[in-house]
Amino acid sequence: MRLNRYFLSHTKNIKDALISLSTVSSTIILGIDPGSLKTGYGLIESSGNRLRFLECGTIKTGGGPLPPRLKIIFNDIRKVVQHWSPDEMAIENVFLARNPDSALKLGQARGAAICAVMAEDIPVAEYTANQVKQAIVGKGHAAKTQVQHMVKVLLNLSETPQSDAADALAIALCHANTNKTMTELKSKASERYPAEVLGAIRGRRKKRFTL
Amino acid sequence: MRLNRYFLSHTKNIKDALISLSTVSSTIILGIDPGSLKTGYGLIESSGNRLRFLECGTIKTGGGPLPPRLKIIFNDIRKVVQHWSPDEMAIENVFLARNPDSALKLGQARGAAICAVMAEDIPVAEYTANQVKQAIVGKGHAAKTQVQHMVKVLLNLSETPQSDAADALAIALCHANTNKTMTELKSKASERYPAEVLGAIRGRRKKRFTL
């Protein structure tokens, strides 16, 4: 309540106050690169222009029947979610799988990871591999090693993370960049357009980026 | 403890006592026919030769982005599991999906359903569509309507259940039949073979039918 009063007294209206708040507040983002054999995960904290590495890892499920492997993915992702309480989750959206069999396995691993996050009511955003590469390297068809290198540079890491964990961090970074761009666009739009136009733009974007 | 003593005094050894127990005790089986648009579920109680219908239904997720639809499947299946506390779950194992895109969607729905059940530590068994049709109709390539009709007859239902719910009940019935056959085989094997041979047979079957 005190915070609201402070912002209201220093800004033109409540809309500007909310934009200022969203710019300074930090957001913990969980990125996931799902797979039936290996599922990579990475957590970053995005605060304005700053990005901070929190944790990354690879969940290895081994061979054998799929149901117990899905349980491992579900439980391990849930433990990560309960430990870090991320505000948002980003996951790769696969459009072109190699074949129906691998698509079915990947789909089940993806379903397990999404359920583990959505069980805690965390919003999920989806990005294609090209969107992730474009956001991190600047090229939609960048090589895997380029993505790994840029993840290391952007998060100021002492060593390059493993392939799946690096991909998960790249997805989280892509989401952080998209969020930042959206906040900047909102901020600029609020200066230029009246409230009705802004509302219409936000409504359209909301459909595309959040659930 | 009293029950154990009773069985031990009336049977040759503990193995026979366990077989007798498994024959008389009832088992609640949850069958699931997953799909990204519609997920069918059916519950039956199997007690010796008797089969009793408990509940069936279809979870409709609607259109739009997949993550919130997976959440609906996960939450609804979990509610069913918490209400009925099934002992076992059976689900269709898909080997040949039509195309990678539909396989990916089906996989995610399947992953959500399996996680909802495995989160409650319930064992999951998988059967192919041919195995289910063979168990219910007696033909591996039976038509959908034949399966629906046999589900109605076997469970003594007043009306034919909806397609997805009927498929889910058929999977549960297939599991009940397989369990019954396994118990009978175990019972006959214990009379004919020494304990070492029986142990080896059981070890192989365990790998194939349970997790």
Side-chain angles (χ1 to χ4, degrees):
Chain A
M1 199 62 185
R2 225 187 286 166
L3 197 71
N4 278 348
R5 268 192 217 138
Y6 170 82
F7 270 100
L8 281 171
S9 64
H10 286 75
T11 51
K12 281 179 222 156
N13 54 37
I14 198 159
K15 205 179 284 163
D16 288 347
L18 286 168
I19 289 162
S20 309
L21 258 176
S22 68
T23 313
V24 292
S25 67
S26 73
T27 308
I28 293 181
I29 301 164
L30 166 64
I32 293 181
D33 178 36
S36 59
L37 283 169
K38 287 178 190 175
T39 290
Y41 70 89
L43 285 130
I44 59 166
E45 189 181 38
S46 166
S47 172
N49 281 328
R50 280 183 305 165
L51 293 166
R52 195 164 70 94
F53 167 77
L54 297 176
E55 190 193 324
C56 74
T58 308
I59 300 161
K60 290 174 187 166
T61 61
L66 213 55
R69 282 153 69 189
L70 298 182
K71 192 181 177 184
I72 293 171
I73 297 172
F74 180 82
N75 283 348
D76 285 11
I77 294 285
R78 201 155 190 195
K79 271 179 208 160
V80 169
V81 167
Q82 282 166 348
H83 179 77
W84 289 104
S85 302
D87 302 288
E88 288 159 22
M89 185 266 235
I91 194 163
E92 196 177 296
N93 202 354
V94 186
F95 285 111
L96 290 165
R98 276 169 300 168
N99 61 60
D101 186 50
S102 62
L104 197 69
K105 282 183 186 161
L106 171 63
Q108 290 178 78
R110 200 174 185 270
I114 289 175
C115 283
V117 175
M118 292 211 88
E120 305 288 326
D121 282 322
I122 295 161
V124 175
E126 299 175 289
Y127 299 94
T128 63
N130 277 16
Q131 279 179 310
V132 175
K133 286 174 181 173
Q134 185 73 44
I136 306 301
V137 187
K139 283 194 292 179
H141 294 281
K144 253 189 177 302
T145 47
Q146 283 178 291
V147 175
Q148 275 178 286
H149 175 73
M150 282 309 292
V151 164
K152 186 187 166 193
V153 171
L154 287 168
L155 292 172
N156 200 23
L157 304 174
S158 56
E159 53 188 73
T160 312
Q162 273 196 324
S163 175
D164 299 278
D167 284 347
L169 286 170
I171 296 159
L173 283 167
C174 168
H175 184 64
N177 277 351
T178 311
N179 266 5
K180 198 173 144 268
T181 314
M182 286 300 293
T183 311
E184 283 170 5
L185 278 171
K186 276 179 198 169
S187 172
K188 280 178 188 165
S190 69
E191 289 164 15
R192 284 185 197 167
Y193 302 108
E196 297 78 36
V197 179
L198 191 67
I201 295 168
R202 277 185 184 160
R204 277 211 303 281
R205 283 201 181 116
K206 207 168 185 181
K207 271 184 196 165
R208 198 186 297 165
F209 290 104
T210 62
L211 300 170
Chain B
M1 197 63 185
R2 225 186 287 165
L3 198 71
N4 277 349
R5 266 191 217 139
Y6 170 82
F7 271 99
L8 281 171
S9 64
H10 286 77
T11 51
K12 281 179 221 157
N13 53 37
I14 197 159
K15 208 177 282 165
D16 288 345
L18 285 170
I19 289 163
S20 310
L21 256 178
S22 70
T23 314
V24 290
S25 66
S26 73
T27 308
I28 293 181
I29 301 165
L30 166 64
I32 293 180
D33 178 36
S36 59
L37 282 168
K38 287 177 189 175
T39 290
Y41 70 90
L43 286 131
I44 59 166
E45 190 181 36
S46 166
S47 173
N49 282 328
R50 281 183 304 164
L51 292 166
R52 194 164 69 95
F53 167 76
L54 297 176
E55 190 195 324
C56 73
T58 308
I59 300 161
K60 289 173 187 167
T61 62
L66 213 55
R69 283 155 68 189
L70 298 181
K71 193 182 177 183
I72 293 170
I73 296 171
F74 180 83
N75 283 347
D76 284 10
I77 294 285
R78 203 159 188 192
K79 270 179 210 161
V80 168
V81 167
Q82 282 166 349
H83 179 77
W84 288 104
S85 303
D87 303 289
E88 288 159 21
M89 185 268 234
I91 193 164
E92 196 178 296
N93 202 354
V94 186
F95 284 113
L96 290 165
R98 275 169 298 169
N99 62 59
D101 187 49
S102 63
L104 198 69
K105 281 182 187 162
L106 171 63
Q108 290 177 78
R110 199 174 186 270
I114 289 174
C115 284
V117 175
M118 293 213 86
E120 306 289 326
D121 283 322
I122 295 161
V124 175
E126 298 175 290
Y127 299 94
T128 63
N130 277 15
Q131 279 178 310
V132 175
K133 286 173 181 174
Q134 185 73 46
I136 307 300
V137 187
K139 282 195 292 178
H141 294 280
K144 252 189 181 300
T145 47
Q146 283 178 292
V147 176
Q148 276 178 287
H149 175 73
M150 282 310 292
V151 164
K152 188 186 164 193
V153 171
L154 288 167
L155 292 172
N156 199 23
L157 304 175
S158 57
E159 54 187 73
T160 312
Q162 275 198 321
S163 174
D164 300 277
D167 284 347
L169 286 170
I171 297 160
L173 284 167
C174 168
H175 184 64
N177 277 350
T178 313
N179 266 5
K180 200 174 141 264
T181 314
M182 288 299 294
T183 312
E184 282 169 7
L185 279 170
K186 276 179 198 169
S187 173
K188 280 178 186 165
S190 68
E191 290 164 14
R192 287 185 194 169
Y193 303 106
E196 298 76 35
V197 179
L198 191 67
I201 294 168
R202 277 184 186 162
R204 276 213 303 282
R205 283 199 183 119
K206 208 169 186 179
K207 269 184 199 163
R208 200 187 295 165
F209 290 104
T210 61
L211 302 169

